[in-house]
Amino acid sequence: MNFLRHAPSCTLGLLLFTLGGLAHAGDALDIGTSVPKAEAVSEGLFPEEKCEQLKAAGFKCQGFKPAVRYSLPATSFKLGSAELPDPLKKQLEVFAEVLKTRRGSGKVVQIEGHADASGSREVNQVLSQRRADAVKAYLVELGADPTMLATAGAGATEPKNAANPYAPENRRVEIGRAAAP
């Protein structure tokens, strides 16, 4: 009977495990223009916490799924711009809500900016860094702990659409847990 009470959570955990298993370098979960639920973002960025909750409830936890890396959203940035469009801000509000609850936790979330191949290598590197920095600034403005947020610019080196390096979906930001030092 107790198991049934936790079944929806287990189902969600299995879904996130399946999605999280796909999220490794160069393979992020594209959330498109939808606004994710805070619980899904929380479980995606901090999967070990679900295991800790199970242990606290008296259950045995034999591991947890890998953290999810999110791609926000396809075609979010205008060509050559680091200005945050309104749909992206709505998504980031959910991420900020989750991050605010982890202030001072010592956990680090990586914000990685990307560009399409429209500019030179140097211009794309700077632009992608500006995109990551703009996302960090907005998250901090909304209450996220700046010490939790690391930024990096990838330029146009990791296109989402490799068949068309000039495609708009290559202009994006990805958010995920930073690799352990």
Side-chain angles (χ1 to χ4, degrees), residues 36-92:
K37 300 282 185 203
E39 182 179 0
V41 169
S42 178
E43 287 185 18
L45 288 177
F46 306 102
E48 70 280 5
E49 291 177 359
K50 194 56 138 179
C51 196
E52 293 164 10
Q53 291 171 355
L54 287 171
K55 287 179 182 176
F59 293 96
K60 189 174 184 179
C61 181
Q62 296 182 2
F64 48 88
K65 63 198 173 295
V68 175
R69 184 173 155 131
Y70 296 95
S71 182
L72 304 176
T75 68
S76 62
F77 291 97
K78 292 180 182 174
L79 189 63
S81 173
E83 183 180 335
L84 302 178
D86 289 336
L88 178 57
K89 287 181 178 181
K90 293 282 186 210
Q91 291 174 324
L92 292 174

Side-chain angles (χ1 to χ4, degrees), residues 4 13 18 25 28 71 77 80 85-86 99 105 130 148 159 162-163 174-175:
L4 293 177
T18 303
S71 182
F77 291 97
D86 289 336
L99 293 170
S105 68
R130 284 182 36 231
M148 285 185 70
E174 294 185 359
I175 299 177

Side-chain angles (χ1 to χ4, degrees), residues 15-35:
L15 172 64
L16 287 174
F17 175 79
T18 303
L19 295 173
L22 299 174
H24 51 80
D27 192 12
L29 176 62
D30 188 343
I31 61 172
T33 56
S34 66
V35 177

Side-chain angles (χ1 to χ4, degrees), residues 59-173:
F59 293 96
K60 189 174 184 179
C61 181
Q62 296 182 2
F64 48 88
K65 63 198 173 295
V68 175
R69 184 173 155 131
Y70 296 95
S71 182
L72 304 176
T75 68
S76 62
F77 291 97
K78 292 180 182 174
L79 189 63
S81 173
E83 183 180 335
L84 302 178
D86 289 336
L88 178 57
K89 287 181 178 181
K90 293 282 186 210
Q91 291 174 324
L92 292 174
E93 288 168 8
V94 175
F95 281 82
E97 179 183 332
V98 169
L99 293 170
K100 282 192 297 190
T101 65
R102 277 115 182 138
R103 287 184 73 82
S105 68
K107 296 176 180 176
V108 179
V109 172
Q110 178 80 19
I111 303 166
E112 190 174 272
H114 295 267
D116 65 19
S118 297
S120 69
R121 185 173 186 222
E122 296 78 21
V123 166
N124 285 338
Q125 180 59 45
V126 170
L127 177 58
S128 64
Q129 184 65 53
R130 284 182 36 231
R131 288 174 175 163
D133 292 341
V135 167
K136 178 180 178 176
Y138 189 67
L139 291 171
V140 169
E141 179 183 318
L142 294 175
D145 181 352
T147 63
M148 285 185 70
L149 304 172
T151 62
T157 61
E158 299 174 25
K160 189 169 218 34
N161 181 347
N164 180 3
Y166 299 96
E169 61 262 33
N170 294 325
R171 302 188 301 261
R172 68 193 188 283
V173 169

